[in-house]
Amino acid sequence: MKTRFDPNLSVSKIKDSKKYGFIVSATHSGAGKSSLTAGLMRLFSRKGYQVAPFKSGPDYIDPSHHERACSRPSYNLDTKMCSKSYVRKLFEETSHSANMVIAEGVMGLFDGASATNETGSTAQIAKLIGLPVLFVFNGSAMARSSAALVKGFKEFDPDLRFLGVVANKVNGARHAEMIRRAVESHTGLPFLGHLPFDPKLEISSRHLGLQLGAEQTDDLYERWADHVENHLDIKKILRLAEIPLLENRKPPRSRWNHSTTIKPFTVAVARDSAFQFIYQDTLDQFRFYGGSIQFFSPIADKTIPNGADWLYLPGGYPELFAKQLSENTTMRKSIRLWGQSGKPVVAECGGMMYLGKSLTTEEGTKFKMAGLFQFETTLNPKRMTLGYRDLKFDSGTKETIRLKGHEFHFSHFSNNPEKPQMTSDTKASNPAVADGYVFKNSIASYTHIYWGADSKWLKHILSKLR
């Protein structure tokens, strides 16, 4: 049985007074780090460890699997959208009550926001938060060459610490032994085991990546934990993953500063099968500044929750549920009238698509949406938009708000008479990006904003409350 997260539990109250941690990374995307990470999280969780999960980079899907695996919210660590100081504070604050920290990297170990420096990479995050790298690679079609591969990654950055190596998709014991001997003799890194390929353990994918954790059965994580325990040297991992633990350490200070000018508020947050892409850090920020969160479903609920002061429609998969969203005419009308009355609405990516006039699916079927804005969107799986965003928003005051976030979508505007109110400098984004559409106090953007890094965005939204 997995252990549920107890936010009031301090490290001193956990049976094992030691603390462990590592970050799982790989040669490239698709090498097996997501499944391995989820398996390790579930395995250590059911062994009684309080596991704190993290994800390097801008991602909503992997954290959903982390939470399913260890029953604790996963946090994103990103040095492109946040300052290094903020990332360290976020990590320290949210991992304080755990005695096991497991983070999952993004893409390959050294991939990030730049081709010439480490910004936004897993390697940078690992050094910033002081975790060693558990390195996984696909060993299915190599033997001695695996040593050259691992050696290249090990020596690329001498300041990076490695916990050890795992060879994925290696079925035979003889093959695994050849890889072990090659890696250990030529690199000096511990070989922690191999994982045979099992098609029954694969997680299905769609256009934005793996299916979400909420779409999986709990048995999948149990089977992954069994798979990991049966093939990896768990005792060696624990021995190598021990990290310093300061005795009687006080809880770290909050990553945000208290404000006496913000009054308590209630935000209605869309969360259902169509809208899932919400950073846990954003929800934490809402609550820190006195917010009460009411989740609602634009698919199933008839109207906006009573008592809400403003609405937040995050990203997700509205294109997969366009028919259900369109058929819920009372909710569409409720949101349209809300925005037309001047009450604040913030929508990002999929939420923005929902606020438009219509959404056309991959099959070419057009469905009516909320109609608060006049733009129309169309899904095209062959047309991807991907990248970090550094935007300026004219708040109507003396201060210009800088917003950082990212875009990742396969939809585009088929018609857009709206004028963008957010722009990026060509220095930060080439070519320049225009985003952010405003109607009264409703703001919609393709960019997923990282709210937590700066409270100015939340304070601007709250300033619109009547």
Side-chain angles (χ1 to χ4, degrees):
M1 294 293 291
K2 60 183 184 297
T3 301
R4 292 201 59 83
F5 167 50
D6 180 357
N8 298 312
L9 189 64
S10 66
V11 174
S12 62
K13 295 180 181 179
I14 302 174
K15 63 177 182 179
D16 190 342
S17 60
K18 298 178 181 179
K19 191 162 186 172
Y20 309 87
F22 53 87
I23 186 166
V24 180
S25 190
T27 51
H28 61 285
S29 294
K33 61 181 179 290
S34 294
S35 299
L36 173 58
T37 300
L40 287 165
M41 288 177 178
R42 172 54 64 90
L43 175 61
F44 285 117
S45 182
R46 75 185 186 187
K47 285 181 178 293
Y49 292 90
Q50 287 278 324
V51 179
F54 295 90
K55 171 65 182 180
S56 174
D59 190 295
Y60 300 100
I61 297 173
D62 289 338
S64 74
H65 291 284
H66 299 172
E67 186 166 2
R68 284 296 306 274
C70 60
S71 301
R72 179 168 175 150
S74 182
Y75 289 84
N76 297 73
L77 306 173
D78 193 298
T79 52
K80 182 63 176 177
M81 298 191 296
C82 308
S83 68
K84 293 180 183 179
S85 174
Y86 184 84
V87 170
R88 280 194 295 264
K89 289 179 181 179
L90 169 63
F91 175 75
E92 291 171 0
E93 187 177 353
T94 57
S95 65
H96 178 76
S97 64
N99 66 344
M100 172 70 71
V101 175
I102 302 178
E104 179 181 352
V106 58
M107 300 174 67
L109 178 57
F110 300 106
D111 299 320
S114 171
T116 58
N117 63 59
E118 66 179 9
T119 302
S121 68
T122 302
Q124 184 189 43
I125 292 296
K127 291 185 292 184
L128 184 64
I129 61 178
L131 293 183
V133 175
L134 193 161
F135 188 70
V136 58
F137 67 95
N138 185 338
S140 62
M142 64 177 71
R144 187 168 180 260
S145 295
S146 61
L149 178 71
V150 174
K151 187 178 179 68
F153 274 85
K154 177 189 177 186
E155 296 182 355
F156 189 82
D157 184 349
D159 295 328
L160 198 60
R161 290 192 302 126
F162 283 80
L163 180 80
V165 178
V166 171
N168 192 26
K169 296 186 178 181
V170 174
N171 290 336
R174 184 183 176 190
H175 184 190
E177 176 61 14
M178 290 181 69
I179 292 178
R180 183 196 68 77
R181 292 178 61 190
V183 168
E184 291 190 340
S185 63
H186 290 288
T187 73
L189 293 180
F191 187 74
L192 302 174
H194 71 285
L195 294 172
F197 174 67
D198 185 347
K200 295 180 181 179
L201 292 175
E202 287 194 301
I203 301 173
S204 298
S205 300
R206 58 168 67 95
H207 54 284
L208 293 182
L210 298 175
Q211 290 185 354
L212 294 164
E215 299 174 272
Q216 312 306 314
T217 64
D218 193 67
D219 181 63
L220 175 67
Y221 303 98
E222 286 294 320
R223 287 186 285 117
W224 256 110
D226 292 339
H227 193 59
V228 167
E229 187 169 31
N230 290 337
H231 295 284
L232 300 189
D233 191 336
I234 302 303
K235 290 184 178 179
K236 182 183 286 188
I237 290 175
L238 278 173
R239 187 169 67 252
L240 296 172
E242 186 175 344
I243 56 179
L245 176 63
L246 300 178
E247 296 296 331
N248 301 318
R249 185 179 63 170
K250 295 181 180 180
R253 294 179 59 185
S254 172
R255 53 198 185 274
W256 300 298
N257 295 320
H258 285 280
S259 173
T260 57
T261 60
I262 297 179
K263 297 179 180 179
F265 61 90
T266 298
V267 54
V269 177
R271 175 178 273 182
D272 57 18
S273 299
F275 304 101
Q276 292 274 340
F277 296 168
I278 310 171
Y279 288 121
Q280 181 62 38
D281 200 27
T282 300
L283 299 179
D284 286 3
Q285 187 193 53
F286 291 170
R287 294 183 174 113
F288 179 85
Y289 284 108
S292 174
I293 299 173
Q294 289 185 300
F295 293 109
F296 75 103
S297 169
I299 292 178
D301 296 334
K302 295 301 181 183
T303 60
I304 296 166
N306 292 328
D309 296 309
W310 60 285
L311 310 183
Y312 177 40
L313 301 168
Y317 294 106
E319 64 272 21
L320 300 182
F321 302 92
K323 185 175 185 294
Q324 296 95 313
L325 289 168
S326 184
E327 289 178 346
N328 192 348
T329 57
T330 57
M331 177 59 78
R332 290 197 289 116
K333 181 179 179 181
S334 177
I335 290 178
R336 183 173 63 254
L337 293 177
W338 176 284
Q340 290 174 345
S341 73
K343 296 179 181 179
V345 183
V346 181
E348 299 168 355
C349 201
M352 181 207 74
M353 295 165 67
Y354 177 66
L355 291 187
K357 190 175 180 180
S358 71
L359 189 163
T360 301
T361 64
E362 180 181 354
E363 295 75 25
T365 305
K366 180 182 286 190
F367 292 96
K368 290 182 178 180
M369 293 289 108
L372 184 58
F373 290 89
Q374 295 306 301
F375 50 67
E376 300 177 274
T377 55
T378 299
L379 187 70
N380 184 350
K382 296 182 180 180
R383 182 175 172 178
M384 181 180 71
T385 300
L386 174 66
Y388 283 105
R389 299 291 180 255
D390 189 345
L391 302 168
K392 295 187 298 182
F393 177 70
D394 185 356
S395 64
T397 64
K398 296 180 180 180
E399 185 177 34
T400 298
I401 299 176
R402 298 297 295 261
L403 300 169
K404 292 189 177 184
H406 80 285
E407 283 189 63
F408 181 28
H409 53 86
F410 286 85
S411 65
H412 64 277
F413 290 116
S414 53
N415 178 45
N416 185 12
E418 308 283 356
K419 294 182 179 181
Q421 303 297 316
M422 298 178 186
T423 57
S424 65
D425 295 326
T426 53
K427 293 180 181 179
S429 179
N430 190 13
V433 173
D435 196 3
Y437 306 93
V438 178
F439 174 75
K440 294 187 177 181
N441 288 319
S442 296
I443 304 173
S445 68
Y446 251 129
T447 300
H448 298 274
I449 304 299
Y450 196 92
W451 295 62
D454 193 333
S455 60
K456 291 179 182 177
W457 185 230
L458 174 60
K459 291 176 181 177
H460 170 72
I461 303 303
L462 297 181
S463 71
K464 303 299 180 180
L465 299 183
R466 297 176 177 177

